């Protein structure tokens, strides 16, 4: 049978990263292309303990249907925790537990966007979110990044020019893929612009707890006194991505629509895993755990930047980072970035070409993304050394 | 901030059942309104064993990111199992693991339906699926049910009249809410009509393994030699709904679009729970487990129908059933069904008004749905007895 697909999916392509991912599953390939937490970052022992306890004491609660909004004790605890620790959430806000933060992007786009509506995003930005927005036939408008976040002049220009902007999508901490962190000054500017132009901000913060340099900067959501910010959080990078537990904190009216959409998507998020996240946060030393993660990624990032400094600088530059999982490397003008990535793959090292993260992925890019959390220390060193050799061969002047 | 929601969600309402569900969580209310598996039907001990083993032996596999298509060993095993046991799946088909069968409905609608496209469904039908189809701004056309399934004359009339039908949605076994099972003759007719009019069938089979009377009837998908049927299966009713693991078997071309949409929705289904389902199917006696479930529901359905026969017949009638979790009861003409349900709630018994399951929920209905799997035997008896007293008071002739 020949299918007539909906307009919205006609142009959709599988995420380039997911495709590279499959290639990278060849065990002889050093994958610097994923975004997985380091294996040593998983609290496996604690999760096993918690799970055993839950299934022994309250098996039916963990295995039965639950409500769409999420596991009530987790919702309550997270609400208090995020308010107390990060000043996030006010009386006009609600919380919804989602199947990973990815679902927040989907539910927000589904609730808000008609065909042709505009989503403003950082350029480059996280391909998974961009594809979700595309899947509702939105038009993406990318705002170039400065070293301290989105360029605010360009943002205001876009807000003036576009009449049907539904939200501004930002990853303010250790952005994927650029590694850039938005300064506090720019967060305030961003919020002021959103207020001025009556536009929602969708703040995606998967890496906020993975800071290993510099001072913590509060979320844009902490400024929100007018119900203008939808905040997306997740346990993927701090407990386990395989469990698919994330959450949205945002204005009640918006969350009500998102909850109805979630009912239709998956009824509710895996309740067993929600209970595990709740017990892990409340019965273990969560702060201590986050510190341990920060140490793991400090060490791995140091190995990566050390190797980059040794093998690639000055021919290839990279953005300095204060946290997260990624390094954004840039080749000099005149070097063919896609050819570089292809040659790297032939030498069994996989990185992600920068154009994959653009609103128009056929636009030129001189950059590529390296992930330092997934490979072993040895793979990281060897992989970057191979990239260095390749760069030296391709960049002769 | 005032939100401008997308057209598709403007008219969406939370599922009436989910709302009743909340009311029914009042512990003094006897809920005959849910659709939960019986607590004694969960293989809790086995799940605890499996989970302990997985987290001891392969914690990173269970907690790390995985691929969108699903856990490969589960996909392979299910493909073989469904082919061998039910003749489901051919070379042109693929399998996708989803976050519950509900996600199959969402991904199918998202991949196929533009605004205004028509989805043909049974009338009445499962409210969760209807709401999902509505959330893509489709138009629902309901086909009345005979005692052996959809009325085929009405179906052909609809297929002739409607020019943009994207699929026919059916729950052939122990349908929710009517309890009706489609005969083998009608399954063949349905498939022939789909072929004649080049329309996809979306076959939703959550209850197929819960047959406690009569002979097994093969799925419509078993007839599919032309790639016309998308089959939705689930572990919700046979292992655990809280884990949210379902699957789709259907034409590769369609599944490819659904996979891309799933990437954007939740990346992949909880991998830990996928592994649990796989081990449960392969390392335990799965057939024995299904037989145990059938015995549980045979017993509970007998309690329910016994009480209905004693307290409600002949004033209230119900459809005979051969499996599943539901009984569809009908009040005589002239009795106000909504008032009956409301009075029942005031007497602390909760059932679902039949109009909730119609394509137009403001259309008249004389029916209500009783679930017999969730309440205890005592609650079931007492609840139906209260309904009987109420019926005797309201139906005087």
């Amino acid at each position: 049978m020949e299918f007539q697909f909906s307009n919205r999916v006609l142009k959709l392509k599988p995420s380039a990263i997911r495709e590279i991912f499959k290639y990278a599953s060849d065990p002889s390939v050093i994958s610097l292309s994923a975004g997985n937490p380091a294996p040593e970052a998983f609290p496996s022992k604690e999760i096993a303990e918690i799970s055993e306890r839950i299934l022994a004491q309250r098996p039916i609660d963990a295995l039965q249907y639950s409500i769409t909004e999420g596991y009530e004790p987790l919702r309550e605890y997270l609400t208090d925790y995020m308010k107390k620790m990060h000043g996030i959430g006010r009386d006009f806000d609600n919380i919804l537990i989602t199947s990973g933060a990815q679902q927040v992007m989907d539910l927000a786009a589904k609730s808000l966007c008609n065909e042709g509506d505009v989503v403003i995003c950082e350029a480059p930005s996280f391909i998974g979110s961009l594809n979700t927005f595309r899947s509702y036939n939105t038009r993406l408008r990318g705002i170039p990044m400065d070293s301290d976040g989105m360029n605010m002049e360009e943002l205001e220009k876009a807000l003036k020019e576009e009449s049907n902007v539904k939200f501004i999508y930002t990853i303010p901490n250790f952005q994927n893929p650029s590694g850039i962190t938005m300064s506090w000054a720019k967060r305030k500017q961003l919020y002021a612009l959103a207020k001025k132009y009556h536009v929602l901000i969708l703040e995606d913060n998967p890496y906020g707890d993975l800071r290993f340099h510099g001072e913590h900067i509060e979320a844009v959501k902490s400024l929100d006194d007018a119900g203008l910010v939808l905040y997306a959080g997740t346990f993927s990078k701090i407990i386990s991505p395989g469990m698919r537990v994330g959450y949205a904190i945002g204005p009640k009216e918006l969350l009500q629509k998102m909850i109805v959409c979630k009912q239709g998507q998956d009824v509710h998020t895996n309740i067993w895993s929600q209970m595990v996240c709740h017990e892990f946060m409340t019965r273990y030393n969560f702060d201590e755990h986050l510190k341990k993660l920060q140490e793991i990624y400090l060490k791995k990032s140091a190995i990566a930047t050390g190797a980059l400094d040794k093998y690639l600088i000055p021919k290839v530059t990279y953005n300095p980072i204060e946290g997260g999982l990624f390094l954004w490397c840039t080749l000099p003008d005149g070097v063919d970035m896609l050819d570089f990535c292809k040659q790297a793959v032939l030498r069994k090292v996989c990185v992600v070409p920068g154009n994959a993260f653009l609103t128009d992925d056929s636009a030129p890019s001189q950059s590529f993304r390296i992930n330092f959390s997934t490979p072993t220390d040895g793979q990281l060193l060897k992989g970057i050394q191979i990239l260095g050799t390749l760069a030296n061969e391709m960049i002769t002047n």
Side-chain angles (χ1 to χ4, degrees), chain A residues 283-316:
Chain A
R283 294 182 64 157
Y284 291 78
N285 193 330
F286 192 62
D287 278 353
E288 205 56 49
H289 171 69
L290 294 181
K291 277 195 197 116
K292 190 191 137 197
L293 298 186
Q294 289 151 10
E295 280 161 24
I296 290 171
Y297 293 120
L298 171 64
K299 182 168 160 280
K300 291 194 91 78
S301 71
I303 291 169
T305 54
L308 285 169
D309 291 345
K310 185 167 172 189
Y311 300 114
L312 283 136
I313 292 284
K315 293 194 170 173
V316 180

Side-chain angles (χ1 to χ4, degrees), chain A residues 109-170:
Chain A
K110 183 164 186 181
S111 299
L112 291 165
C113 299
N114 287 315
E115 188 169 336
D117 280 350
V118 173
V119 171
I120 292 180
C121 53
E122 290 152 344
S125 187
F126 172 48
I127 186 174
S129 296
L130 301 189
N131 278 345
T132 300
F133 305 148
R134 286 181 180 118
S135 81
Y136 291 98
N137 258 345
T138 58
R139 187 158 57 79
L140 302 179
R141 172 141 180 184
I143 307 296
M145 299 276 273
D146 303 325
S147 63
D148 60 347
M150 235 186 254
N151 182 294
M152 290 294 143
E153 287 70 40
E154 291 289 332
L155 173 61
E156 180 150 24
K157 189 161 167 271
L159 288 167
K160 272 185 190 153
E161 284 173 8
E162 306 285 359
S163 58
N164 51 346
V165 177
K166 281 302 174 77
F167 53 85
I168 304 163
Y169 175 66
T170 179

Side-chain angles (χ1 to χ4, degrees), chain A residues 314-319 328-333 366-368:
Chain A
K315 293 194 170 173
V316 180
T317 58
Y318 66 91
N319 290 349
W328 185 244
C329 303
T330 303
L331 293 158
D333 287 343
Q366 285 306 100
S367 301
F368 59 90

